[in-house]
Amino acid sequence: MPTVRAEKLYKVFGRRAREAVRRLEEGAEASELDLPGVTPAVIDASFEVNEGEIFVVMGLSGSGKSTLIRMLNGLLPATSGRVSVDGQDITTMSDRQIREMRQNKMSMVFQHFALFPHRTVLQNAAYGLQIQGLGREERLEKAREALGLVGLNGWEDHVPAQLSGGMRQRVGLARALAADTEVLLMDEAFSALDPLIRREMQDQLLSLQAKLGKTIVFITHDLNEAMRLGDRIAMMRQGRIVQIGTAEEILTHPANDYVAQFVQDVDRTRVLTASSVMNKPAVTIGAGSGPRAALRLMREHQYSALFVVERDGTLAGVITDAAAAEAANQGADTLRGILSQDVAAVGPDTVVSDLFAPSAESVLPLAVLDEDRTLLGVIPRATLLAALGEIGTADPGDAANAKEVAADV
Ligand SMILES: Nc1ncnc2c1ncn2[C@@H]1O[C@H](COP(=O)(O)OP(=O)(O)OP(=O)(O)O)[C@@H](O)[C@H]1O
Ligand SMILES: [Mg+2]
């Protein structure tokens, strides 16, 4: 079940907002509206954020990201459409119910997080818990825990002025974590930070997320940040969501020219994964087959080795032509005793940039295995280099050479 859900959500600023929504619903473009003082900030947004995922909303300045996220927690009422949180429709809630929902279910972290300058780091992190009705000791305990999560142990008694920008932003994050809500909304939470500190915060968010499994809506206008953090990314343009997908889907199948242009400079080798460049393991042999069958198959396909699989599709090992020939001479009737385990294996989610080293060290194609060791696919070096060629950085000469080498395998 999705945790946060938006259905045909609109936010139009200005006096004739409803009229604008009606015409947009009828198919008008925002540019055709010609209603003075009317700004369609979010147009027809529908999506679901699943429990435990980082859902990134990405778009240029003014594309409607903040307006969208503020409708998710009821800070802004929608002009039209519905938002539900844990199955509860918030668009019909009273102000009081919405406030309660914000306290118990959703916390928000902003770009410029306002800390109280004269209160300690601990008091700042505990701010907000009072409203939840907790006693003082319990509040401070929760705040202390949250500060520990963001690596600020030992800073509890300092004041914000003694902290760097990155540390202050961590206090903001700690405050949101202390509230212990299921959903975190983060609006450009890292955008004001220096690039290196920003990366550190991204890493920290990912490791926190691995531990805590929150549902996170993360807004950014930085594509690399979106690609690093997002389980899925919603691309916004001029108020509309133009595509929702994984980083990989958006890179490999951009919904339109706008998205394609937007992502053209991304370093694909850090986003595309083994599963998107692998080939089907077209020629494999069962572990129960005999060495002569293996030799025949190798001859037929001009391979010098084969991947050997069990009936359930898991990888048993590799058989080389030399080993098969020797076994055939000795009259062996299955491959089981003569398999080599010298296989370079990678997981389906390994990013392409991490495939080069194992590929270079292995004579055989890389084996792509899932957790159960099921052979999902193979990646010959040529395929890897060809993929890189499509990505646009490989020297074509290398790819051609590699193809000959791999064909030999
Ligand atoms: N309260 C408001 N009244 C009128 N127009 C508004 C209001 N808030 C936002 N807008 C307009 O709505 C559009 C979307 O703004 P929004 O702040 O959601 O964009 P954003 O994607 O968050 O941009 P940024 O990256 O700069 O934060 C903009 O054209 C903005 O001027
Ligand atoms: Mg914004």
Side-chain angles (χ1 to χ4, degrees):
M1 189 170 105
T3 304
V4 179
R5 180 175 180 164
E7 276 171 278
K8 299 189 187 313
L9 203 55
Y10 287 78
K11 182 70 193 181
V12 178
F13 293 105
R15 278 206 309 133
R16 291 160 75 185
R18 297 223 138 258
E19 182 184 344
V21 168
R22 191 176 44 73
R23 286 183 40 202
L24 289 164
E25 279 172 345
E26 286 165 6
E29 288 299 322
S31 55
E32 300 166 356
L33 287 178
D34 196 28
L35 294 170
V38 162
T39 310
V42 172
I43 304 169
D44 196 17
S46 296
F47 58 88
E48 292 178 346
V49 185
N50 299 315
E51 190 181 336
E53 91 172 319
I54 301 185
F55 185 84
V56 170
V57 180
M58 152 86 213
L60 297 178
S61 181
S63 58
K65 307 180 296 294
S66 294
T67 305
L68 179 64
I69 207 171
R70 299 172 101 239
M71 284 192 284
L72 297 184
N73 69 355
L75 274 176
L76 267 182
T79 313
S80 170
R82 274 153 45 97
V83 175
S84 57
V85 178
D86 271 343
Q88 282 181 298
D89 187 350
I90 75 155
T91 26
T92 58
M93 283 182 188
S94 68
D95 288 354
R96 193 197 137 128
Q97 285 173 313
I98 287 182
R99 262 199 312 277
E100 273 174 20
M101 191 266 310
R102 270 206 296 274
Q103 283 153 25
N104 301 318
K105 292 220 166 124
M106 297 180 140
S107 327
M108 188 141 166
V109 189
F110 304 90
Q111 176 171 2
H112 295 288
F113 210 83
L115 298 178
F116 299 103
H118 302 298
R119 296 198 193 170
T120 65
V121 164
L122 185 64
Q123 288 165 338
N124 266 292
Y127 176 80
L129 293 179
Q130 207 157 358
I131 315 171
Q132 285 187 355
L134 302 174
R136 186 184 141 82
E137 280 314 308
E138 205 178 343
R139 291 202 302 271
L140 294 183
E141 190 44 47
K142 284 201 163 192
R144 216 183 302 275
E145 248 171 62
L147 287 169
L149 283 173
V150 301
L152 284 179
N153 282 324
W155 291 86
E156 291 83 352
D157 298 328
H158 289 70
V159 291
Q162 296 171 297
L163 271 54
S164 69
M167 291 162 88
R168 272 178 236 158
Q169 204 61 17
R170 275 167 214 253
V171 179
L173 185 54
R175 183 188 288 173
L177 290 174
D180 201 19
T181 56
E182 180 185 347
V183 182
L184 276 182
L185 305 178
M186 304 182 72
D187 189 354
E188 306 266 7
F190 303 155
S191 298
L193 303 173
D194 293 339
L196 284 178
I197 301 185
R198 185 168 181 169
R199 272 199 79 115
E200 258 176 55
M201 289 294 286
Q202 291 166 357
D203 288 341
Q204 183 158 48
L205 184 70
L206 288 172
S207 74
L208 274 174
Q209 177 62 359
K211 238 183 287 175
L212 305 177
K214 302 265 183 200
T215 302
I216 300 178
V217 180
F218 189 100
I219 288 188
T220 182
H221 59 254
D222 183 298
L223 185 60
N224 284 308
E225 185 166 77
M227 299 253 161
R228 273 195 90 201
L229 296 180
D231 292 310
R232 288 186 304 147
I233 299 167
M235 297 276 292
M236 281 189 89
R237 182 194 191 193
Q238 294 172 358
R240 290 183 192 270
I241 295 180
V242 290
Q243 183 166 13
I244 298 179
T246 62
E248 201 157 350
E249 283 164 359
I250 286 175
L251 279 182
T252 50
H253 300 102
N256 55 34
D257 289 348
Y258 177 79
V259 179
Q261 282 214 346
F262 213 104
V263 299
Q264 68 183 1
D265 294 330
V266 167
D267 180 357
R268 271 134 223 266
T269 66
R270 294 185 186 285
V271 175
L272 296 183
T273 57
S275 61
S276 72
V277 296
M278 71 187 183
N279 302 339
K280 280 227 173 68
V283 185
T284 60
I285 189 163
S289 312
R292 284 181 198 287
L295 283 171
R296 209 177 311 124
L297 201 57
M298 286 188 235
R299 210 173 311 127
E300 207 173 294
H301 292 277
Q302 307 218 321
Y303 290 160
S304 58
L306 290 174
F307 286 113
V308 180
V309 291
E310 300 289 356
R311 268 175 197 283
D312 63 2
T314 56
L315 183 68
V318 168
I319 177 78
T320 63
D321 54 359
E326 198 186 320
N329 281 337
Q330 291 173 359
D333 51 358
T334 82
L335 299 173
R336 288 196 195 279
I338 51 170
L339 295 182
S340 158
Q341 294 303 325
D342 190 13
V343 185
V346 296
D349 297 328
T350 312
V351 290
V352 167
S353 62
D354 290 342
L355 297 177
F356 295 112
S359 177
E361 284 160 16
S362 169
V363 204
L364 281 169
L366 296 174
V368 184
L369 304 183
D370 71 6
E371 291 140 16
D372 308 326
R373 287 190 62 78
T374 302
L375 182 64
L376 302 175
V378 298
I379 308 177
R381 206 168 309 154
T383 301
L384 189 56
L385 292 171
L388 197 63
E390 279 164 34
I391 290 165
T393 41
D395 174 39
D398 282 354
N401 288 339
K403 228 165 242 160
E404 283 160 27
V405 175
D408 202 28
V409 172

